[in-house]
């Protein structure tokens, strides 16, 4: 269609569940798999096609499950393997698919593989991880590589005197994909879940799996943005092709790669139709456009934000696929990040951002809570936070005197991923319906008004906007496979773009500002019918006029039927 090979995952809308904060059923304050099952009807009623389940594995939880201790075991706090099997069956019974997170750049240091690897330099699994004798006779790390969670990317192991690599926490040692036996074990663990019937994987930081075996210091151009260096390993494409062949075996299960640090021109090769080892990428150019480093925030004008999507069309190419992900477990809340989360405009701007997510080119991913317009939590002190990344940055910057606590906290509040990890707000009860016990993390004080029960009961809510937009996307091929064109790339308030397949097209107009704004209707849309305003069907399907006036945070979609 329109030059694209059709696949289920291109036409799907995904919903990400971060189980720890989704729904607790046993009163221990931690979300669990039975809780996901209990809330499936809320998800299914949106019309989504697939669920992405964030890590559910056995883990010490240094990084909230992204430090896997056993790839074939469900974490005790989440339930049992029987619970997982019941979830998979319940998802499929509702006509949806299930993909799971797979974290194979690194494991926990408590994983049996690493326990054996560090036991001796002669261990059969020594080369399953990245080891190095170090500099200065072993007294210094091998190079200047840095952990994304603060400090060096190397930790010295007292038992053997050698250094192991950890691009994240020191309890998350990096696996060595250059080791054929290690790769085989990783692939076998992945096949375990495909054989169970899952429909693919979201592959965590998958672009980092290839390391330069010379271990040089960072080149000058990458010292301030090391992700671009680590995502350019010499055997990345080879390793991912090997994974595709050995794990997927020609099936149509999806390979959704996290592409932190992958520039668009190189990303195109990874997702090239018919030859790329991955099906689509979660890219960071838009969601982290206002980051200066890992924790600093910077203001970004709207034309710069919009340019990301034009660049994707130009640099990835028309048929290379991508995901549309403007929020997830690693980023602030969508409406607080890109909208206006104040009481007057929260709903309207959240509906606008739903419109943006579900009409851009690519597979949309909705993060839990965005469908009800959840907002950033009012963190005030570093003790309010849980995230190892933020606390590591505090140690690196504040405790060393590089920046003041006030400056750091102001920036961290704007950028922290902890906002996405507060309890899902199901109702206006004292614990938002998340648990009967003590929640493992904060419950937002606004849950008395911002909650799923209230949203489902209000036909003009953010929830129903998502539902209508998903239905429109399913009914309109141009919103899936249509070409993208930005009509006002330099406008500082308006994002007006089309999605087109031949004569059929949708025109999307978003006023991403707190001021009134107007634009002249682009040529070629005469007679287009207005189909949604702020996610609600208009009472009359008025045609597009010559000029359009939009109120602050208003969103509209017109449809032009093909001949």
């Amino acid at each position: 269609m329109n030059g694209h090979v059709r696949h289920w995952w291109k036409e799907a809308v995904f919903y990400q569940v971060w189980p720890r904060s989704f729904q607790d059923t046993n009163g221990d304050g931690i979300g669990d798999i039975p809780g996901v099952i209990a809330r499936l009807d809320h998800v299914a009623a949106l019309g989504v096609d697939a669920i992405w389940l964030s890590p559910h594995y056995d883990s010490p939880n240094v990084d909230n499950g992204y430090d896997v201790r056993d790839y074939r075991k469900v974490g005790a706090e989440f339930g049992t393997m029987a619970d997982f099997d019941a979830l998979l069956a319940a998802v499929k019974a509702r006509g949806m698919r299930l993909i799971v997170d797979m974290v194979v750049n690194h494991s926990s240091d408590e994983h049996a593989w690493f326990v054996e690897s560090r036991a001796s330099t002669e261990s059969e699994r020594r080369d399953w991880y990245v080891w190095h004798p170090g500099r200065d006779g072993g007294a210094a790390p091998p190079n200047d590589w840095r952990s994304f969670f603060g400090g060096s990317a190397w930790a010295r192991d007292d038992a053997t005197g050698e250094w192991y690599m950890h691009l994240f926490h020191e309890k998350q040692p990096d696996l060595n994909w250059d080791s054929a036996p290690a790769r085989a074990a990783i692939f076998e663990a992945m096949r375990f879940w495909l054989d169970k019937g899952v429909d693919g994987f979201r592959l965590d930081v998958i672009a980092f799996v290839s390391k330069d075996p010379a271990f040089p210091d960072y080149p000058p151009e990458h010292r301030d943005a090391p992700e671009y260096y680590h995502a350019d390993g010499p055997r990345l494409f080879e390793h991912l092709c090997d994974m595709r062949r050995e794990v997927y075996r020609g099936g149509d299960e999806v390979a959704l790669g996290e592409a932190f640090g992958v520039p668009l021109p190189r990303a195109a090769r990874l997702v090239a139709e018919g030859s790329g080892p991955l099906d689509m990428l979660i890219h960071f150019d838009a969601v982290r456009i206002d980051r200066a480093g890992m924790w600093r925030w910077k203001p970004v004008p709207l034309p710069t934000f919009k340019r990301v999507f034009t660049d994707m069309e130009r640099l990835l190419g028309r048929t290379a696929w991508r995901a549309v992900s403007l929020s997830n477990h690693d980023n602030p809340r969508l409406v607080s990040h890109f909208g206006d989360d104040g009481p007057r405009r929260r709903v309207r701007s959240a509906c606008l951002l739903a419109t943006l997510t579900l009409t851009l080119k690519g597979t949309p991913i909705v993060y839990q809570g965005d469908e009800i317009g959840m907002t950033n939590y009012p963190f005030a002190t570093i003790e309010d936070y849980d995230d190892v990344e933020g606390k590591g940055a505090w140690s690196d910057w504040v405790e060393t005197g590089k920046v003041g606590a006030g400056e750091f906290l102001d920036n961290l509040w704007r950028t922290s991923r902890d906002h996405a990890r507060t309890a899902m707000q199901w109702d206006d009860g004292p614990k938002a319906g998340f648990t009967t016990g003590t929640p493992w993390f904060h419950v937002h004080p606004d849950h008395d008004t911002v909650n799923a029960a209230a949203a489902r009961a209000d036909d003009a809510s953010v929830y129903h906007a998502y539902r209508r937009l998903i239905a429109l996307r399913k009914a309109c091929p141009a919103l899936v496979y249509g070409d993208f064109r930005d009509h006002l790339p330099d406008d500082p308030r308006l994002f007006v773009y089309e999605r087109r397949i031949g004569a059929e097209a949708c025109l999307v107009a978003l006023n991403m500002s707190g001021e009134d704004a107007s634009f002249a209707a682009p040529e070629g849309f005469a007679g287009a019918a207005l189909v949604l305003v702020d996610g609600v069907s208009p009472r009359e399907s008025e045609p597009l006029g010559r000029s359009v006036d939009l109120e602050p945070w208003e969103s509209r979609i017109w449809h032009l039927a093909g001949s």
Side-chain angles (χ1 to χ4, degrees):
M1 183 173 287
N2 197 31
H4 296 271
V5 177
R6 294 184 64 180
H7 289 282
W8 69 265
W9 38 265
K10 292 180 180 177
E11 299 172 15
V13 175
F14 283 75
Y15 182 97
Q16 183 190 356
V17 171
W18 204 71
R20 191 174 186 87
S21 294
F22 196 60
Q23 177 68 69
D24 171 33
T25 60
N26 62 5
D28 67 355
I30 299 172
D32 46 44
I33 291 174
V36 180
I37 298 172
R39 297 295 187 177
L40 279 180
D41 289 340
H42 167 89
V43 178
L46 287 168
V48 303
D49 305 277
I51 290 175
W52 152 21
L53 182 68
S54 290
H56 63 285
Y57 309 104
D58 176 51
S59 169
N61 286 307
V62 169
D63 188 22
N64 281 315
Y66 284 89
D67 48 319
V68 179
R69 183 163 48 201
D70 189 335
Y71 289 104
R72 299 191 188 197
K73 184 178 179 182
V74 174
E77 67 272 30
F78 296 136
T80 65
M81 189 63 77
D83 291 326
F84 179 87
D85 293 339
L87 171 62
L88 182 58
V91 168
K92 299 206 169 185
R94 288 165 174 80
M96 298 185 292
R97 301 176 190 249
L98 181 68
I99 70 168
V100 296
D101 241 311
M102 185 53 64
V103 190
V104 287
N105 173 73
H106 50 267
S107 75
S108 166
D109 68 341
E110 296 181 26
H111 196 293
W113 297 346
F114 188 72
V115 171
E116 184 174 338
S117 179
R118 79 189 309 177
S120 166
T121 56
E122 304 302 317
S123 167
E124 289 185 2
R125 290 179 174 169
R126 184 66 171 184
D127 74 341
W128 285 32
Y129 292 83
V130 182
W131 290 94
H132 195 283
R135 292 176 174 170
D136 300 332
N143 54 34
D144 64 355
W145 292 0
R146 301 194 307 276
S147 164
F148 291 105
F149 290 170
S152 172
W154 297 90
R156 189 176 186 275
D157 184 59
D158 292 337
T160 63
E162 291 195 341
W163 299 74
Y164 67 85
M165 182 181 174
H166 59 92
L167 284 178
F168 297 90
H169 195 276
E170 67 177 86
K171 290 182 69 63
Q172 292 172 287
D174 278 45
L175 285 152
N176 178 20
W177 277 58
D178 286 347
S179 164
R183 285 200 314 277
I186 292 167
F187 298 163
E188 186 179 359
M190 296 174 72
R191 278 297 324 171
F192 173 82
W193 295 99
L194 289 186
D195 290 342
K196 270 190 168 291
V198 305
D199 296 287
F201 302 106
R202 179 265 187 185
L203 298 158
D204 184 66
V205 293
I206 196 65
F208 292 166
V209 297
S210 176
K211 278 69 173 175
D212 185 343
F215 301 112
D217 283 344
Y218 287 127
E221 66 271 21
H222 289 313
R223 284 177 187 151
D224 292 331
E227 63 269 23
Y228 293 102
Y229 179 79
H230 293 300
D232 194 23
R235 298 182 66 187
L236 176 63
F237 191 80
E238 174 191 348
H239 287 333
L240 294 185
C241 287
D242 192 21
M243 177 203 72
R244 188 74 197 211
R245 182 179 60 254
E246 297 299 325
V247 175
Y248 286 82
R249 299 177 182 173
D252 198 28
E253 297 91 353
V254 70
L256 170 58
E258 184 183 23
F260 189 37
V262 182
L264 289 171
R266 280 200 304 109
R269 186 185 183 208
L270 296 178
V271 292
E273 185 74 68
S275 61
L278 303 177
D279 294 314
M280 55 180 168
L281 296 172
I282 297 176
H283 222 270
F284 287 73
D285 284 26
V287 74
R288 294 208 173 194
I289 196 167
D290 53 359
R291 296 284 184 96
M294 295 302 292
W295 58 272
R296 283 190 185 275
W297 177 85
K298 63 180 181 182
V300 173
L302 182 61
T304 303
F305 175 78
K306 294 187 291 186
R307 194 173 305 124
V308 170
F309 305 103
T310 297
D311 286 347
M312 283 187 176
E313 188 80 348
R314 178 174 60 88
L315 297 174
L316 283 179
R318 287 185 64 253
T319 60
W321 209 250
R322 76 289 315 245
V324 181
S325 178
L326 295 176
S327 69
N328 57 27
H329 64 289
D330 279 336
N331 290 283
R333 279 288 169 189
L334 180 61
V335 70
S336 298
H337 190 178
F338 294 112
D340 181 343
D341 63 4
R344 282 184 57 212
R345 291 172 175 163
R346 179 188 66 85
V347 170
R348 191 171 221 181
S349 65
C351 290
L352 177 147
L353 292 165
T355 302
L356 176 65
T357 301
L358 288 156
T359 59
L360 285 170
K361 186 173 182 178
T363 297
I365 301 176
V366 180
Y367 181 66
Q368 67 183 45
D370 285 345
E371 79 278 14
I372 60 171
M374 283 180 61
T375 62
N376 280 357
Y377 186 85
F379 297 112
T381 69
I382 192 62
E383 289 75 22
D384 289 337
Y385 291 88
D386 170 77
D387 183 31
V388 64
E389 180 180 41
K391 290 184 181 263
W394 174 272
S395 296
D396 271 0
W397 291 87
V398 179
E399 292 181 356
T400 59
K402 295 176 184 175
V403 299
E407 177 186 352
F408 181 89
L409 289 170
D410 285 347
N411 281 268
L412 185 64
W413 185 85
R414 291 179 177 271
T415 60
S416 175
R417 58 186 186 171
D418 266 344
H419 293 295
R421 302 180 178 198
T422 59
M424 179 68 182
Q425 294 161 209
W426 294 109
D427 59 40
D428 61 0
K431 297 165 187 175
F434 167 68
T435 183
T436 58
T438 302
W440 78 273
F441 199 38
H442 304 290
V443 175
H444 201 297
D446 71 4
H447 73 274
D448 57 338
T449 56
V450 182
N451 62 75
R456 288 196 302 268
D458 179 2
D459 193 58
S461 70
V462 182
Y463 180 87
H464 290 293
Y466 272 92
R467 182 179 59 78
R468 293 186 189 96
L469 285 158
I470 290 170
L472 178 63
R473 186 177 187 272
K474 292 178 184 296
C476 183
L479 288 178
V480 179
Y481 294 111
D483 296 330
F484 168 88
R485 179 187 174 191
D486 184 356
H487 283 282
L488 299 173
D490 298 321
D491 194 288
R493 296 187 297 274
L494 293 168
F495 194 2
V496 178
Y497 56 90
E498 70 175 63
R499 301 292 311 285
R500 179 179 292 274
I501 299 177
E504 183 190 8
C506 284
L507 182 69
V508 181
L510 313 173
N511 181 2
M512 301 184 71
S513 80
E515 303 172 359
D516 293 336
S518 302
F519 68 97
E523 294 183 6
F525 278 92
L530 184 65
V531 290
L532 287 178
V533 179
D534 300 331
V536 177
S537 301
R539 294 180 180 178
E540 297 181 7
S541 185
E542 59 184 84
L544 179 64
R546 288 188 174 183
S547 179
V548 179
D549 300 321
L550 294 180
E551 296 177 357
W553 296 104
E554 184 177 358
S555 56
R556 296 189 188 185
I557 303 174
W558 293 266
H559 179 248
L560 185 68
S563 56

